[in-house]
Amino acid sequence: MQTPLTLVTLLLKKVPSFPVEAESINPENVTGKDVEEIKSLPLWCGNAQEVVGDYFDVEIELDHENSEQPAQLVLKGDLSRFKRLGQAMGAGEMIVWGSVGFHAGALMRGGTLEIKGNAGDWLGAHMEDGLIKVEGSAGDFVGAAYRGKNKGMTGGTILITGNAGQMLGARMRRGLIAIGGDCGDMPGFGMLAGTVLVRGRAGIRAGAKMVRGTVILLQPQVLLPTFYYNCTCRLTTWSLMYKHLNQAGFFLPAPYQDLLFRRYSGDANEGGRGEILICHCS
């Protein structure tokens, strides 16, 4: 049996009056630090610089044999006013028992961020690698590019059990985003590559301005006229994705393992090299 890693737990003791910039809270920043050092990590609340200890009690279960490995970081409480949790993390595991604010996991380079609640807008924006799992729902712009940028998520996986907002995966370059519920308008907007899967109903204008990539819709959908029908078929790649998703904890019922898809190419205004796959329900 593998020896467990050092466990660092942050227990919310006070809800902030204003949103807090909390990008300093990630597994790498707490690894190798004692309680007082972790409490002194900087936060910003409005224009005032504060520290982790102003809002959290800190507990450490030390594992000397694995002190060089990134600690497992656990946060408990309603953290919906804490922004940028896990931003740019490159390794380790971070578990949040509660909801989180905007930009969680943005610029993430590796490791695992697990959110046992809801997430705000810009979840996983510009993510490069790693895994984000959300047991609740997420806001707008999941895995998307920030305004003024032409390339969003470039790798990694985002799995959301519930719903997501609009512009899901906008301008994503690589990676996988899977939504268990519904999503808002324009999923896959401006996609350059990668895969977006929506099990529930999607909003209007799916795949608008997509250049390449794949949008998979498991419910009926009316597409833009710039998408044209190719064929109805079974896909070997789908059976592989089905297995991958279930192994990652994104469970689809057994009947979903063998599906027929209607394949559409588009957006014709952008060269028609992208694809939308819609489950064929006969």
Side-chain angles (χ1 to χ4, degrees):
M1 181 180 295
Q2 186 178 8
T3 306
L5 299 175
T6 299
L7 173 64
V8 176
T9 304
L10 304 185
L11 303 167
L12 184 67
K13 63 181 181 180
K14 182 177 73 172
V15 176
S17 302
F18 301 97
V20 173
E21 303 285 337
E23 62 265 37
S24 63
I25 301 179
N26 67 53
E28 294 159 297
N29 282 347
V30 302
T31 298
K33 292 182 170 64
D34 61 27
V35 169
E36 293 306 316
E37 288 174 320
I38 295 172
K39 284 184 176 181
S40 67
L41 289 172
L43 304 172
W44 283 92
C45 185
N47 61 359
Q49 186 171 24
E50 298 179 332
V51 294
V52 166
D54 293 331
Y55 296 101
F56 295 93
D57 291 321
V58 179
E59 299 176 356
I60 298 178
E61 294 180 25
L62 190 59
D63 177 5
H64 296 285
E65 294 184 19
N66 285 284
S67 59
E68 298 301 319
Q69 297 295 318
Q72 182 186 68
L73 176 59
V74 175
L75 292 84
K76 296 182 179 180
D78 181 3
L79 305 180
S80 53
R81 289 194 174 184
F82 287 82
K83 299 161 59 178
R84 306 186 188 280
L85 289 165
Q87 177 172 294
M89 66 180 281
E93 182 181 14
M94 182 170 171
I95 303 173
V96 183
W97 290 89
S99 296
V100 301
F102 291 1
H103 310 283
L107 305 169
M108 190 168 162
R109 298 173 290 108
T112 299
L113 171 60
E114 189 169 352
I115 300 165
K116 297 183 180 297
N118 299 321
D121 297 347
W122 302 107
L123 174 76
H126 293 270
M127 181 180 183
E128 298 176 17
D129 202 354
L131 172 64
I132 298 175
K133 298 174 69 173
V134 179
E135 290 192 0
S137 296
D140 299 332
F141 312 113
V142 173
Y146 287 134
R147 293 182 178 91
K149 302 292 184 180
N150 59 12
K151 189 165 59 176
M153 179 180 177
T154 58
T157 300
I158 300 176
L159 306 176
I160 299 171
T161 300
N163 303 322
Q166 65 180 350
M167 303 287 276
L168 174 70
R171 297 190 176 91
M172 71 183 289
R173 179 65 179 83
R174 289 188 186 90
L176 168 65
I177 303 174
I179 308 298
D182 302 335
C183 75
D185 294 343
M186 292 187 286
F189 174 84
M191 280 181 71
L192 302 171
T195 302
V196 169
L197 165 69
V198 182
R199 181 182 175 187
R201 294 196 171 273
I204 60 175
R205 301 186 182 92
K209 297 185 70 66
M210 73 184 298
V211 178
R212 287 183 298 274
T214 302
V215 175
I216 303 173
L217 305 176
L218 299 186
Q219 298 295 327
Q221 176 75 8
V222 176
L223 299 181
L224 290 166
T226 50
F227 283 83
Y228 49 92
Y229 172 77
N230 297 136
C231 61
T232 298
C233 58
R234 284 183 171 84
L235 302 170
T236 303
T237 53
W238 170 250
S239 62
L240 296 174
M241 180 175 291
Y242 176 90
K243 292 177 183 177
H244 171 73
L245 289 170
N246 278 273
Q247 288 170 356
F250 187 90
F251 298 109
L252 292 170
Y256 281 85
Q257 188 170 3
D258 184 26
L259 295 178
L260 276 173
F261 287 98
R262 297 194 304 274
R263 184 183 186 273
Y264 296 82
S265 294
D267 187 327
N269 289 335
E270 305 297 330
R273 291 171 291 174
E275 66 175 1
I276 295 181
L277 305 173
I278 300 178
C279 178
H280 179 70
C281 302
S282 57

